[in-house]
Amino acid sequence: MNNLIQEAENTVFEFQPKDFEPAENHNINIDKVYAAKSYWKDVLSTFLKNKGAIVGLIAIIMIGIMAMIGPDLSGHTYDAQIITHQNLAPRVPGLEKFGIFNGSENMNTSTGKVKVNKYVDSSKTTGLENIYYWFGTDVLGRDIFTRTWTGTRISLYIALVAVIVDMCFGMSYGLISGYFGGMVDNIMQRFAEILNGIPTLVIVTLLILVLKPGLTTITLALATTGWIGMSRVARAQVLKLKEQEFILASKTLGAKDFYVIFKEILPNIFGQLIIMSMFSIPNAIFTEAFLAFIGLGVPAPLASLGSLISEAFKSFTTHPYMIIFPVIVLAIVMLAFNMLADGLRDAFDPKMKEM
């Protein structure tokens, strides 16, 4: 054993150039240094990674553009009635050459289904050979394309009303109720519970007795009860934050109550309030559509998506195209806002980033 040790000590090692490798070629695990991101940049980057939210945002923008310019594209007005043009199927220039949207439809008769094209069959008497209705016409000869995008304006107006009511009234109500607590909170919450216990349908009916049926009545109905959900979310968030150290420090330095509410608490819960506001939009649009469907919406000849669906439902078995396009637009609007709200929730909620 001693001999082996002695031989190892006497051995001379010679190093060759190939025995060495530059350090930059080694895979050394070095910690990465990431550039600092502000809160809003982090929210934006997370939102942009959500494909569903981007699709929803693009859909909302496209529908908004069509709501602005759509009623002026076809050359017809939403209230123009041409009896000789009633019940015309969709006809689109260019596409009719491919056998689609060429103005023909299948009619159910006592002898079976018959394919009818009123543009061609009646062209000699009514002069329809050069007339195009992209979504067809209703039973009064009104252009469904123009009326659909006019109705979309009302739906987007309802969405805007829902956001304004939530962010201006519901948010402030919940912040004040949760911050002051005690008797103030009890009175404010009991009032909200009583108001929430009255069905929206009853409120709209009572408003119609006082006011004329129309967009103003629906707006007041949504403004009366639409803010309660937002107020509860804002109140719950305030109750979680108002005893935190930074709030106590602000009070110790002499900050007034409303300064603490709107300068200290609100910025910390603004993300959750935006999410709640976005989720309230589809509910408000559906409420307007439901009220219009049961006859409590905007009066004729003005149209909303709900009133268009209500009118077309009567002719669904004979002319299904009348209901298809308003239903598709309404479904896209509601789905797009839901997808956008999901994306905002994932972006603003830090817990969702870990999932």
Side-chain angles (χ1 to χ4, degrees):
M1 186 69 180
N2 292 331
N3 293 333
L4 293 175
I5 296 173
Q6 188 175 1
E7 289 179 4
E9 291 177 351
N10 294 330
T11 302
V12 177
F13 295 96
E14 293 183 5
F15 295 99
Q16 301 296 326
K18 64 180 180 180
D19 294 333
F20 299 92
E21 185 178 351
E24 60 267 17
N25 296 335
H26 289 280
N27 294 324
I28 303 175
N29 294 325
I30 302 176
D31 292 339
K32 270 190 175 182
V33 178
Y34 292 94
K37 279 186 179 180
S38 66
Y39 172 73
W40 289 105
K41 284 185 177 179
D42 190 33
V43 168
L44 180 60
S45 63
T46 306
F47 177 80
L48 293 177
K49 294 177 183 176
N50 192 318
K51 296 180 180 178
I54 297 299
V55 170
L57 179 60
I58 293 173
I60 292 171
I61 293 173
M62 293 179 64
I63 288 177
I65 293 174
M66 286 303 300
M68 289 188 291
I69 67 175
D72 301 322
L73 292 179
S74 65
H76 305 282
T77 59
Y78 72 90
D79 56 349
Q81 301 181 17
I82 306 175
I83 300 302
T84 55
H85 292 183
Q86 62 183 353
N87 300 333
L88 293 177
R91 186 186 186 194
V92 181
L95 294 179
E96 61 180 345
K97 298 179 181 178
F98 299 98
I100 56 175
F101 295 105
N102 59 356
S104 62
E105 60 175 326
N106 293 321
M107 300 288 293
N108 292 320
T109 64
S110 57
T111 58
K113 288 187 176 181
V114 179
K115 193 170 185 179
V116 179
N117 191 328
K118 294 183 179 179
Y119 293 92
V120 177
D121 301 339
S122 311
S123 61
K124 294 181 180 180
T125 57
T126 57
L128 295 175
E129 61 273 6
N130 296 321
I131 299 297
Y132 292 91
Y133 288 102
W134 298 339
F135 287 179
T137 60
D138 60 10
V139 294
L140 297 176
R142 295 174 296 191
D143 182 28
I144 297 178
F145 180 88
T146 303
R147 290 174 64 78
T148 297
W149 295 119
T150 302
T152 305
R153 288 181 178 179
I154 295 178
S155 295
L156 295 179
Y157 164 78
I158 294 298
L160 179 62
V161 169
V163 171
I164 293 175
V165 170
D166 275 350
M167 299 304 292
C168 293
F169 189 74
M171 178 186 70
S172 301
Y173 193 93
L175 289 173
I176 294 171
S177 176
Y179 179 80
F180 289 103
M183 184 62 68
V184 174
D185 185 41
N186 284 331
I187 294 174
M188 295 180 73
Q189 290 306 306
R190 297 300 80 76
F191 172 75
E193 289 173 0
I194 292 171
L195 198 59
N196 192 41
I198 304 174
T200 305
L201 185 60
V202 175
I203 295 176
V204 175
T205 305
L206 294 175
L207 288 173
I208 289 176
L209 296 176
V210 180
L211 303 173
K212 293 181 180 180
L215 203 54
T216 304
T217 305
I218 297 175
T219 303
L220 290 176
L222 293 174
T224 302
T225 58
W227 53 269
I228 295 177
M230 171 63 80
S231 70
R232 288 176 175 173
V233 172
R235 175 178 176 271
Q237 295 295 325
V238 172
L239 293 176
K240 289 169 56 179
L241 292 180
K242 71 175 185 178
E243 300 299 334
Q244 296 290 326
E245 288 81 1
F246 71 95
I247 301 297
L248 298 177
S250 183
K251 290 180 180 178
T252 304
L253 293 174
K256 303 295 183 182
D257 290 331
F258 284 96
Y259 179 88
V260 174
I261 292 173
F262 293 103
K263 293 292 186 179
E264 299 290 346
I265 295 178
L266 180 58
N268 287 279
I269 65 174
F270 193 65
Q272 289 81 356
L273 299 185
I274 290 178
I275 296 168
M276 182 62 192
S277 179
M278 293 303 299
F279 274 115
S280 69
I281 290 175
N283 185 44
I285 293 175
F286 178 78
T287 300
E288 184 278 328
F290 168 73
L291 293 175
F293 186 81
I294 62 176
L296 298 178
V298 294
L302 189 63
S304 70
L305 292 177
S307 62
L308 288 174
I309 295 171
S310 178
E311 294 172 3
F313 183 74
K314 303 171 185 177
S315 305
F316 177 68
T317 56
T318 55
H319 305 287
Y321 63 86
M322 293 184 186
I323 199 173
I324 290 175
F325 297 106
V327 166
I328 290 175
V329 174
L330 179 62
I332 291 175
V333 169
M334 296 186 66
L335 181 61
F337 275 111
N338 273 317
M339 294 170 66
L340 179 61
D342 283 334
L344 290 175
R345 179 191 60 192
D346 297 344
F348 279 106
D349 190 351
K351 296 179 182 177
M352 299 297 296
K353 300 174 186 177
E354 300 173 0
M355 299 177 64

